[in-house]
Amino acid sequence: MAMSSLTILTLLALCHSSIAFRKFPEGFTFGVATAAHQIEGAWNVSGKSENVWDRLSHSRPEMIADGTNGDIACDSYNRYMEDVEELTYLGVDFYRFSLSWARILPTGRLDVVNPDGIRYYNDLLDALAENNIEPLVTLFHWDLPQALQDLGGWANPKMIHYFRDYADLCFKEFGTKIKSWITFNEPYEICEDAYGDEKKAPAVDSHGVGCYLCSDTLLKAHAEAYHLYNETYRPVQNGRIMISINSIWYEPSDPESAEQVALAEVANQFKFGWFAHPIFTSDGGYPSVMVDNVARQSAAEGLLKSRLEQFDAYWIQRIKGTSDFLGINHYTTHLITGAGVDPIAKSPSWLKDIGAVTTMEVGGDSASEWLRVVPTGFANLLRWCKSSYNDPPIYITENGFSDYGTLLDYGRIKYFNDYLNEILNVIYDDGVKVLGYTAWTLMDNFEWRAGFSERFGLYYVNITDPARPRKPKLSAEYFKELCATRELPKDPRFFEPSFFRTECRCFFLILIVWYVSE
């Protein structure tokens, strides 16, 4: 019996994710990302002052997995031209990097402006321009000047004004060369992991309290920088400005469980919605489920008011709409297994406030305990953002995979290929407005508390060599072809033989079934 066209299409759909090599839309852009503290080094030279990561890695070296620090890192302060050569070789459209606040303003305030810091970033920007690479610049990527942390850091509302002053100087000094700005990178990590726990510097661990003080200050500081740019600099510089929000995507371990489905939505509101809801919804303010949960937990703790202070009417309006695009950093998916207090949750804490138990037992492994490979979770997050935040234009500002430093990094290539394929799926099948993709990261760098024990780079960096030589991995060749062709590469050398054989088997199985049916 002849096989119907519908049946053939069904078989093709079964292998869709593995053999469909589709082209990215016209105008879609590709880039790579780094961050100042992770690559620059030169931690105490040419006028740069100490930041919170310098303090943590020097005073508590046991908190860094391999005992390394960012003192030299990849030595990009001295070798930035090598970085530009790598970017040019890859053929990227843009380079996302961050400015070191402590290199530009050693005290964190405007009383001392470091001319060498201004010179360094101007030199980098000029080198990028000469090679037709657009800069996408992050104002704050976790490296707060220690002088400001000594005043309370992001738990101090005065930081709103200090950040606005810093942003003002950066817009003034670099704005004619930069058309795309990011205010904050991953506010969740800044607030929960640094002020609600000890996972990130400054490791305050004011669980359930400091994290919410931080988010109040940070969102207001973001809004002030946005309005400053929008009203003063955009008319002259004609750029754009956004925030990059990170999120693990939460899914129910049992999709048939109504309780788990509901709890997964709560967890996503707590994680992503914490910072997206005030900016990207018409209502503004924190998600209602977050407000309710924290208020209920606070009352149960005997507090007279909630640990999560809501914004007043002025700030709700001031924060709403303060991002030209939705920047998304995404790496992985975790599962919700049921209601209750997560076993690792402190009391009080952001995690306890969610009221759900989570697990990482899903997907494939990486070198990072927290990073599970779940491409479909990425697609689900993007669809959720489309429906939750009024169909915003989206830039993927980080996405990447960790291993232990191999040059034949097939795992990273498969990760990129599968996650990029999911981006294509949601663009073409769901109409999600994804406009660009940023790979993390250009080269192996200081991965915060993991040090150099986990490697995310397209280029291998030998940190035992004072010259910090960079060597392209196979993923660099993959990404180079991606940038050149604007479609997912088909070249079998990029895939492990077993992976490619699976691709071929699936394809030829369809051909055989079709031939027999005819």
Side-chain angles (χ1 to χ4, degrees), residues 32 50 131 460 502 516:
V32 294
E50 183 185 36
N131 290 276
Y460 174 82
T502 301
V516 171

Side-chain angles (χ1 to χ4, degrees), residues 3 505-518:
M3 182 175 291
R505 281 201 302 270
C506 187
F507 180 70
F508 284 115
L509 177 61
I510 293 172
L511 289 180
I512 291 168
V513 172
W514 175 79
Y515 179 78
V516 171
S517 71
E518 292 298 306

Side-chain angles (χ1 to χ4, degrees), residues 311-498:
F311 298 112
D312 61 23
Y314 171 83
W315 280 111
I316 287 175
Q317 293 301 319
R318 187 73 171 164
I319 295 169
K320 277 199 310 183
T322 54
S323 194
D324 298 332
F325 303 91
L326 172 56
I328 297 177
N329 291 4
H330 175 76
Y331 291 85
T332 192
T333 294
H334 294 171
L335 299 180
I336 299 293
T337 60
V341 178
D342 198 290
I344 66 171
K346 300 175 182 178
S347 184
S349 65
W350 170 88
L351 186 56
K352 184 179 180 182
D353 289 336
I354 296 175
V357 180
T358 65
T359 178
M360 291 182 280
E361 296 303 315
V362 59
D365 293 329
S366 71
S368 305
E369 181 183 8
W370 56 270
L371 202 170
R372 312 290 295 189
V373 181
V374 191
T376 55
F378 194 17
N380 291 334
L381 169 62
L382 291 170
R383 294 186 191 101
W384 183 80
C385 286
K386 174 184 171 69
S387 62
S388 299
Y389 303 118
N390 303 310
D391 193 17
I394 293 170
Y395 277 92
I396 307 305
T397 43
E398 280 184 31
N399 178 241
F401 175 86
S402 63
D403 59 23
Y404 298 107
T406 177
L407 293 177
L408 296 177
D409 52 343
Y410 296 115
R412 177 167 295 105
I413 291 169
K414 188 175 188 307
Y415 179 98
F416 282 148
N417 210 63
D418 290 349
Y419 275 62
L420 284 163
N421 189 64
E422 292 298 337
I423 291 175
L424 284 170
N425 288 342
V426 299
I427 289 173
Y428 288 118
D429 297 341
D430 302 285
V432 181
K433 298 172 185 173
V434 184
L435 305 180
Y437 176 86
T438 317
W440 183 266
T441 174
L442 175 60
M443 57 194 155
D444 294 336
N445 55 43
F446 179 72
E447 278 297 332
W448 310 113
R449 285 193 58 195
F452 285 87
S453 66
E454 300 170 8
R455 304 292 187 110
F456 281 83
L458 296 170
Y459 282 76
Y460 174 82
V461 178
N462 182 357
I463 64 163
T464 64
D465 187 331
R468 295 298 194 269
R470 294 94 151 98
K471 185 179 293 186
K473 303 176 187 178
L474 189 58
S475 60
E477 302 304 318
Y478 170 91
F479 207 76
K480 176 181 174 65
E481 184 166 327
L482 174 70
C483 292
T485 64
R486 306 286 149 165
E487 65 180 27
L488 297 185
K490 305 180 182 69
D491 193 331
R493 71 193 166 115
F494 295 137
F495 305 99
E496 284 184 295
S498 60

Side-chain angles (χ1 to χ4, degrees), residues 257-273:
S257 167
E259 177 188 57
Q260 289 185 20
V261 170
L263 286 170
E265 174 65 18
V266 173
N268 287 319
Q269 290 291 347
F270 261 79
K271 184 89 171 191
F272 198 90

Side-chain angles (χ1 to χ4, degrees), residues 118-419:
I118 302 295
R119 175 205 56 77
Y120 170 69
Y121 291 115
N122 270 320
D123 288 349
L124 173 57
L125 290 165
D126 290 343
L128 292 173
E130 289 170 6
N131 290 276
N132 298 311
I133 299 168
E134 289 288 330
L136 171 57
V137 176
T138 307
L139 287 166
F140 184 76
H141 198 130
W142 303 1
D143 50 351
L144 188 69
Q146 183 62 40
L148 294 182
Q149 182 56 40
D150 291 342
L151 299 177
W154 293 108
N156 179 356
K158 291 295 184 183
M159 282 294 299
I160 300 167
H161 308 293
Y162 293 142
F163 182 74
R164 186 187 185 281
D165 288 345
Y166 162 60
D168 191 16
L169 178 67
C170 293
F171 297 151
K172 189 180 304 177
E173 293 287 345
F174 310 121
T176 59
K177 301 176 182 180
I178 298 169
K179 300 303 179 187
S180 299
W181 295 91
I182 294 171
T183 54
F184 290 95
N185 177 76
E186 299 187 351
Y188 167 86
E189 303 292 330
I190 299 166
C191 292
E192 169 56 18
D193 281 359
Y195 290 84
D197 208 327
E198 291 188 308
K199 295 177 183 177
K200 303 285 192 306
V204 173
D205 196 20
S206 176
H207 45 85
V209 178
C211 55
Y212 297 136
L213 294 176
C214 171
S215 66
D216 185 82
T217 303
L218 187 146
L219 281 163
K220 291 173 181 177
H222 160 79
E224 289 305 298
Y226 176 89
H227 287 296
L228 169 67
Y229 187 81
N230 193 50
E231 296 161 11
T232 304
Y233 292 97
R234 194 197 303 266
V236 178
Q237 298 176 357
N238 196 31
R240 53 192 183 173
I241 185 167
M242 60 180 168
I243 191 169
S244 287
I245 301 173
N246 69 302
S247 190
I248 289 168
W249 173 247
Y250 292 100
E251 293 190 348
S253 58
D254 177 9
E256 301 301 316
S257 167
E259 177 188 57
Q260 289 185 20
V261 170
L263 286 170
E265 174 65 18
V266 173
N268 287 319
Q269 290 291 347
F270 261 79
K271 184 89 171 191
F272 198 90
W274 186 5
F275 297 95
H277 195 278
I279 298 172
F280 293 97
T281 66
S282 55
D283 293 336
Y286 293 121
S288 58
V289 68
M290 190 174 189
V291 172
D292 293 344
N293 277 21
V294 181
R296 184 169 58 252
Q297 287 285 351
S298 299
E301 294 154 10
L303 300 177
L304 298 179
K305 60 184 297 187
S306 176
R307 288 178 278 105
L308 176 65
E309 184 175 350
Q310 297 186 55
F311 298 112
D312 61 23
Y314 171 83
W315 280 111
I316 287 175
Q317 293 301 319
R318 187 73 171 164
I319 295 169
K320 277 199 310 183
T322 54
S323 194
D324 298 332
F325 303 91
L326 172 56
I328 297 177
N329 291 4
H330 175 76
Y331 291 85
T332 192
T333 294
H334 294 171
L335 299 180
I336 299 293
T337 60
V341 178
D342 198 290
I344 66 171
K346 300 175 182 178
S347 184
S349 65
W350 170 88
L351 186 56
K352 184 179 180 182
D353 289 336
I354 296 175
V357 180
T358 65
T359 178
M360 291 182 280
E361 296 303 315
V362 59
D365 293 329
S366 71
S368 305
E369 181 183 8
W370 56 270
L371 202 170
R372 312 290 295 189
V373 181
V374 191
T376 55
F378 194 17
N380 291 334
L381 169 62
L382 291 170
R383 294 186 191 101
W384 183 80
C385 286
K386 174 184 171 69
S387 62
S388 299
Y389 303 118
N390 303 310
D391 193 17
I394 293 170
Y395 277 92
I396 307 305
T397 43
E398 280 184 31
N399 178 241
F401 175 86
S402 63
D403 59 23
Y404 298 107
T406 177
L407 293 177
L408 296 177
D409 52 343
Y410 296 115
R412 177 167 295 105
I413 291 169
K414 188 175 188 307
Y415 179 98
F416 282 148
N417 210 63
D418 290 349
Y419 275 62

